[in-house]
Amino acid sequence: CNVQSGALWHRLGALPISATEHQFVLPFRLGPVAADAVVRRLGQTVASVAQIGGAVANPFWPRPRPGGLRIVPCHDWDRLAAIAERYRVRERITADRSAAFLRWRYEAPPNGPVHVFAFESAADEGWLSVRTHFTGQRRQLRTTSLLDYVGPDDTYVMYRAIAAVMAECRADCDLFLVRGRDRYLPALSRMRVVRRQLGGPTAYVYQPKHAQPLKAAQFDFASADGDAG
């Protein structure tokens, strides 16, 4: 949801989902990203200077390294659902990741191309999904957004998996975008990402008045369609 609808959900007594009030950005091409950041406030001339400066600095901007972890495209919905069930934390309320839901969500996505990647190491396995789309003042920035991560909560494993999908997408996009989610924060803190504060929480959970009260920390929702809103 946006700031306006968020205020409505708040008045209705809905709980904001923790960490959804910000997002994280990793620029792959500093030139166009820097220009987009300043063009509205400072004008096109300053934006052109920012683009040149960003292009010069781009080779020196550190990139996360996957540490040898390989990811491969995967559309085996039964396997992905089994992995999700294996790593589901029973104490958290999360979205459906059954084979039927994943097939519906990812085979014919309504909001642009979506890619699903699986990874496997000696002790761990998991998968990630990303969406490619355009952002920016004029929708000119080629953007890859992380929709979901399923796998161990281990910070290093998550860091390597997100770094691997970043490396996979880097050649075809200007920036990588991650919407706030509590379980991402330890891994993202190890990366040179830019935290962008939003106008307020972008996801709420509403429960009936007479239901047993729940805490926002009990929810674990990703930004895949159908998981948040």
Side-chain angles (χ1 to χ4, degrees):
C1 64
N2 54 33
V3 176
Q4 288 74 27
S5 59
L8 174 61
W9 283 114
H10 180 74
R11 288 197 296 271
L12 292 173
L15 289 172
I17 300 298
S18 178
T20 63
E21 67 277 7
H22 50 249
Q23 59 187 7
F24 298 88
V25 178
L26 178 72
F28 290 151
R29 294 182 177 83
L30 286 174
V33 174
D36 182 74
V38 303
V39 66
R40 177 176 292 182
R41 291 176 297 166
L42 302 177
Q44 185 59 50
T45 301
V46 177
S48 298
V49 175
Q51 179 157 356
I52 295 172
V56 172
N58 198 70
F60 305 101
W61 187 266
R63 304 287 191 263
R65 299 181 180 276
L69 185 71
R70 291 181 63 252
I71 59 173
V72 294
C74 182
H75 295 91
D76 183 341
W77 310 119
D78 290 321
R79 178 193 175 195
L80 299 177
I83 294 173
E85 181 63 22
R86 172 185 173 186
Y87 287 106
R88 184 168 68 89
V89 179
R90 309 299 172 182
E91 292 76 22
R92 295 176 185 165
I93 300 172
T94 190
D96 181 17
R97 292 183 179 87
S98 64
F101 176 83
L102 295 177
R103 182 180 295 107
W104 169 81
R105 172 63 185 89
Y106 293 124
E107 275 193 347
N111 295 321
V114 172
H115 308 280
V116 184
F117 299 96
F119 66 86
E120 187 173 354
S121 63
D124 305 299
E125 61 179 343
W127 56 269
L128 309 92
S129 59
V130 297
R131 178 168 72 96
T132 56
H133 56 117
F134 287 90
T135 60
Q137 306 291 348
R138 300 185 301 275
R139 290 292 184 264
Q140 80 283 12
L141 296 177
R142 298 173 298 173
T143 302
T144 297
S145 291
L146 179 65
L147 293 180
D148 204 357
Y149 164 87
V150 172
D153 270 341
D154 179 88
T155 299
Y156 184 55
V157 174
M158 191 182 302
Y159 169 89
R160 293 169 66 206
I162 295 176
V165 80
M166 286 178 174
E168 181 73 22
C169 302
R170 184 182 306 156
D172 298 320
C173 69
D174 298 311
L175 63 89
F176 194 89
L177 183 66
V178 182
R179 290 188 182 180
R181 185 183 181 192
D182 273 344
R183 64 186 305 208
Y184 296 154
L185 300 183
L188 293 174
S189 68
R190 300 165 62 110
M191 302 178 182
R192 185 68 66 87
V193 295
V194 178
R195 182 193 294 259
R196 180 183 294 170
Q197 190 72 28
L198 304 176
T202 56
Y204 287 78
V205 171
Y206 177 79
Q207 59 183 129
K209 293 182 179 179
H210 302 295
Q212 182 178 354
L214 296 171
K215 298 180 179 179
Q218 294 176 259
F219 300 98
D220 177 33
F221 292 107
S223 59
D225 291 351
D227 291 12

